[in-house]
């Protein structure tokens, strides 16, 4: 083991142990200590789910990238494993950037990641190339021949300056991976490679590109079948807002749904949608569970605002709740993993006709799973519904539904923040079969809102003191609703 890796392991064990559990969310993974960004190497291996992450243990800001590591059997309770990779070879001396993991037929776990290396005389001149490390689920040995996908394997127009985030999978006796690059026209492009052994790779084709429409560089691709479609997930930089308001500007996440002809290696794009409509969601990655569920996890932050975010703990950054993906009416939909139900306690169910303001006994807290079903069809005179949470006399975050516009407004500007960053999001929300459902999951400062059983999802962070626990509901005009509230333990 290199000195750098050993040092990181000693440091994180000591400093991580000093962080009390109540300083962390209950079931959203945070770094053992220091900084976390993208999920990496999310996989199922030897009876447990492994999640690695972009990691700088020594500070709560981004730095030379390591890979942190945690494991879980229920996707909710995580145990830290020792730091998996440190930037300690020539091929990755400037950082072990994002990548993925795949169990090999011989029982080993393979990590394919981006090594950032010096490419010229000035420290700014770096190349991003793909590297391999092989291990047993705890310790990994980097290939002496790294990078395994070098600049010589870039197609015409690709650039080693932006060439990163390989997603590897094993299928039909071969390894496959997709990698992003930024081409000569400043367009993000997803490249497909193949290999018999994860060491010798050949370039096959370009699967898709942003075509001047969905941002510029595309980061962190994922590529997998879901039901009768093939999905390409990407995280574009420099998005422009779309005229219909579906896509917000800046760092976005996009799902491209289409068909895949494996023999020809041809992806045909049929539909495009945002993956998440919130302020804090980026770089998602998926795995397939042993029972066949496609589960996704993402970094619950945003590069645009991360540098001014408060540093209240010895850790910074977190992952979303893992979510099950499925298709409905041609859209990618998401639900919290069903394991979350094992945390339910103190269930309260109410049916009400609300006209004005209401607070319901026992419906409060910051660790909860609350579903409100609005019977829009039976409530023609309701003009507006508002759900407030993480609320006291000083703070509140609200979600407001307008039946007239079939639109949902999320507003966290009153959450306690002192930062002038985006606090509002608007998204379409039309009743389905006469009903609109809002499922709110709160875990301390982490908020995830699932609209219409996962048709649209919004992830956001709050900056609200823990004592603001109130939940109130408001309706202008009579509204029939049902509410199911669970606290989470
Ligand atoms: C995305 C990203 C990746 C890169 C990593 C570096 O958030 O920029 O493209 O590999 O973060 O930490």
């Amino acid at each position: 083991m290199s000195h750098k890796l050993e040092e990181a392991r000693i440091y994180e064990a000591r400093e991580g142990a000093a962080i009390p559990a109540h300083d962390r969310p209950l079931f959203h993974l945070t770094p053992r200590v220091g900084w976390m960004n993208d999920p990496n190497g999310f996989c199922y291996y030897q009876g447990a789910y492994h999640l690695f992450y972009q990691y700088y243990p020594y500070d709560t800001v981004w730095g030379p990238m390591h890979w942190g590591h945690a494991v879980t059997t229920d996707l909710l309770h995580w145990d830290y494993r020792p730091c998996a990779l440190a930037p300690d070879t020539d091929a990755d001396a400037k950082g072990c950037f994002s990548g993925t993991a795949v169990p090999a037929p011989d029982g080993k776990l393979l990590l394919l990641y981006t090594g950032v290396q010096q490419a010229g005389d000035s420290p700014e001149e770096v190349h991003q190339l793909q590297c391999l490390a092989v291990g047993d689920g705890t310790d990994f040995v980097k290939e002496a021949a790294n990078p395994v996908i070098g600049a010589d394997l870039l197609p015409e127009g690709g650039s080693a300056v932006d060439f990163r985030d390989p997603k590897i999978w094993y299928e039909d006796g071969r390894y496959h991976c997709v990698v992003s690059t930024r081409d000569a026209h400043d367009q993000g492009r997803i490249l497909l490679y193949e290999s018999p052994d994860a060491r010798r790779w050949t370039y096959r084709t370009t699967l898709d590109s942003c075509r001047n429409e969905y941002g510029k560089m595309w980061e962190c691709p994922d590529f997998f079948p879901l039901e009768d479609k093939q999905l390409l997930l990407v995280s574009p930089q420099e998005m422009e807002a779309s005229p219909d308001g579906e896509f917000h500007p800046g760092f976005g996440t996009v799902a491209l749904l289409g068909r895949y002809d494996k023999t020809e290696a041809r992806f045909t794009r049929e539909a495009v949608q945002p993956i998440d409509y919130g302020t804090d969601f980026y770089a998602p990655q998926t795995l397939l569970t042993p029972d066949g569920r496609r589960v996704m996890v993402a970094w619950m932050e945003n590069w645009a605002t991360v540098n001014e975010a408060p540093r209240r703990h010895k850790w910074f950054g977190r992952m979303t709740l893992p979510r099950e993906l499925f298709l409905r009416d041609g859209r990618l939909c998401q639900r919290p993993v069903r394991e979350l139900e094992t945390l339910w306690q103190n269930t309260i169910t109410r049916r009400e006709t609300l006209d004005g303001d209401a607070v319901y006994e026992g419906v409060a807290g910051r660790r909860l799973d609350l579903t409100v079903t609005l019977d829009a069809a039976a409530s023609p005179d309701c003009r507006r519904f508002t759900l407030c949470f993480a609320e006291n006399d000083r703070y509140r975050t609200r979600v407001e539904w307008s039946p007239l516009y079939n639109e949902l407004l999320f507003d966290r500007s009153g959450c306690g923040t002192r930062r002038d960053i985006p606090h509002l999001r608007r998204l379409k929300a039309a009743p389905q079969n006469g009903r609109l459902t809002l499922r709110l999951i709160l875990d301390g400062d982490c908020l995830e809102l699932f609209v219409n059983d996962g048709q649209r999802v919004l992830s956001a962070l709050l900056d609200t003191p823990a004592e603001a626990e109130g939940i109130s509901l408001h309706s202008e005009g009579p509204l029939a609703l049902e509410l199911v509230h669970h606290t989470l333990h």
Side-chain angles (χ1 to χ4, degrees):
M1 193 189 321
S2 71
H3 176 64
K4 246 192 190 151
L5 184 60
E6 194 180 355
E7 188 180 59
R9 287 182 168 192
I10 292 169
Y11 180 85
E12 64 173 4
R14 188 182 67 229
E15 298 295 321
I19 299 176
H22 62 76
D23 265 6
R24 301 182 188 268
L26 186 63
F27 50 87
H28 286 74
L29 178 67
T30 50
R32 194 164 182 182
V33 62
W35 165 275
M36 161 194 278
N37 59 289
D38 314 353
N40 292 157
F42 190 32
C43 67
Y44 187 79
Y45 176 67
Q46 292 184 344
Y49 300 99
H50 291 246
L51 181 54
F52 303 82
Y53 50 89
Q54 289 285 278
Y55 184 36
Y56 183 58
Y58 305 110
D59 202 346
T60 51
V61 295
W62 192 85
M65 280 291 107
H66 297 55
W67 276 34
H69 187 189
V71 295
T72 179
T73 51
D74 65 2
L75 296 161
L76 301 170
H77 299 92
W78 297 91
D79 289 318
Y80 293 110
R81 285 267 178 99
C83 177
L85 301 176
D88 53 11
T89 65
D90 288 346
D92 58 21
K94 295 268 175 181
C96 300
F97 275 20
S98 284
T100 50
V102 68
D106 67 358
K108 293 272 171 41
L109 188 64
L110 308 186
L111 308 182
L112 190 66
Y113 67 99
T114 300
V116 183
Q117 57 173 258
Q118 188 82 36
D121 294 336
S122 98
E124 282 76 53
E125 283 176 66
V126 292
H127 278 173
Q128 304 181 336
L129 304 167
Q130 318 323 314
C131 296
L132 181 71
V134 181
D136 59 1
T138 301
D139 297 310
F140 297 88
V141 178
K142 294 176 182 173
E143 281 290 298
N146 277 337
V148 292
I149 306 182
D152 55 321
L153 291 182
L154 272 164
E156 180 80 35
S159 162
V161 174
D162 285 298
F163 181 35
R164 59 183 180 269
D165 309 338
K167 163 80 186 201
I168 186 171
W169 72 98
Y170 184 76
E171 191 179 1
D172 301 331
R174 296 173 72 74
Y175 292 94
H176 310 256
C177 77
V178 285
V179 190
S180 3
T181 189
R182 184 199 291 257
D183 71 15
H185 307 288
D186 214 12
Q187 300 293 297
R189 245 167 93 171
I190 303 303
L191 313 176
L192 175 71
Y193 290 86
E194 288 176 357
S195 168
D197 56 7
R199 291 169 176 84
R200 292 165 293 145
W201 291 89
T202 45
Y203 168 72
R204 181 83 195 269
T205 191
T206 290
L207 287 174
D208 207 343
S209 73
C210 50
R211 305 182 200 165
N212 265 321
E213 206 181 349
Y214 298 102
K216 297 205 166 174
M217 176 64 185
W218 275 357
E219 302 189 299
C220 300
D222 198 348
F223 191 61
F224 54 88
L226 184 68
E227 300 168 31
D228 59 344
K229 296 284 179 209
Q230 182 76 17
L231 267 72
L232 177 59
L233 308 186
V234 292
S235 295
Q237 299 176 327
E238 302 176 73
M239 288 274 288
E240 278 178 13
S242 59
D244 62 1
E246 277 288 283
F247 294 90
H248 60 80
F251 291 90
T253 53
V254 170
L256 304 137
L257 293 81
R259 280 175 295 111
Y260 186 49
D261 179 338
K262 256 202 281 185
T263 326
E264 299 293 322
R266 190 181 309 120
F267 176 68
T268 312
R269 187 203 285 189
E270 294 171 337
V272 185
Q273 68 172 85
I275 304 173
D276 191 285
Y277 293 77
T279 48
D280 299 282
F281 184 94
Y282 199 66
Q285 207 173 85
T286 70
L287 59 64
L288 199 59
T289 62
D291 60 2
R293 292 176 285 160
R294 179 61 62 172
V295 171
M296 177 179 77
V297 72
W299 184 41
M300 202 170 181
E301 296 284 350
N302 186 328
W303 284 116
T305 56
V306 85
N307 286 332
E308 33 167 335
R311 268 40 182 188
R312 301 200 199 293
H313 308 291
K314 289 275 186 75
W315 56 267
F316 182 87
R318 49 203 122 188
M319 296 298 167
T320 62
L321 176 60
R323 303 165 183 180
E324 297 174 16
L325 303 185
F326 61 102
L327 300 178
R328 197 173 52 218
D329 303 328
R331 283 184 65 88
L332 170 65
C333 301
Q334 311 164 39
R335 267 187 207 120
V337 284
R338 58 196 67 167
E339 286 82 350
L340 188 68
E341 294 163 25
T342 63
L343 306 185
W344 286 353
Q345 282 190 13
N346 309 324
T347 299
I348 296 174
T349 305
R350 297 187 72 129
R351 273 173 205 278
E352 302 287 340
T353 298
L354 177 67
D355 194 356
D357 308 330
V359 169
Y360 300 115
E361 166 129 36
V363 177
R366 291 287 288 274
R367 284 175 173 166
L368 55 87
D369 183 348
L370 169 70
T371 300
V372 186
T373 305
L374 310 181
D375 192 344
S379 313
D381 296 325
C382 170
R383 295 178 302 279
R384 195 200 322 255
F385 168 75
T386 310
L387 172 68
C388 296
F389 48 92
E391 181 180 36
N392 61 13
D393 50 12
R394 184 157 172 186
Y395 305 115
R396 82 164 43 82
T397 294
R398 64 196 177 99
V399 170
E400 194 173 280
W401 183 59
S402 151
L404 183 59
Y405 300 111
N406 277 329
E407 188 181 76
L408 207 67
L409 169 71
F410 167 73
D411 178 1
R412 64 172 180 182
S413 51
C415 80
T417 179
R418 293 175 188 274
R419 300 187 292 150
D420 186 17
I421 61 173
H423 294 306
L424 302 182
R425 287 280 193 252
R426 281 174 206 283
L427 49 145
K428 291 185 189 122
Q432 308 288 296
N433 302 320
R435 284 159 194 272
L436 183 91
T437 64
L438 301 174
R439 182 173 178 188
L440 170 73
I441 295 177
L442 272 185
D443 181 9
D445 283 349
C446 309
L447 168 176
E448 289 164 276
L449 179 72
F450 296 79
V451 181
N452 283 336
D453 190 22
Q455 184 189 54
R456 285 183 167 75
V457 188
L458 178 151
S459 308
L461 294 176
L462 303 180
D463 199 353
T464 312
E467 63 269 19
E469 292 193 324
I471 292 187
S472 61
L473 287 73
H474 314 262
S475 179
E476 288 175 26
L479 170 63
L481 63 82
E482 190 189 86
L483 166 158
V484 183
H485 174 269
H486 313 274
T487 49
L488 299 173
H489 289 272

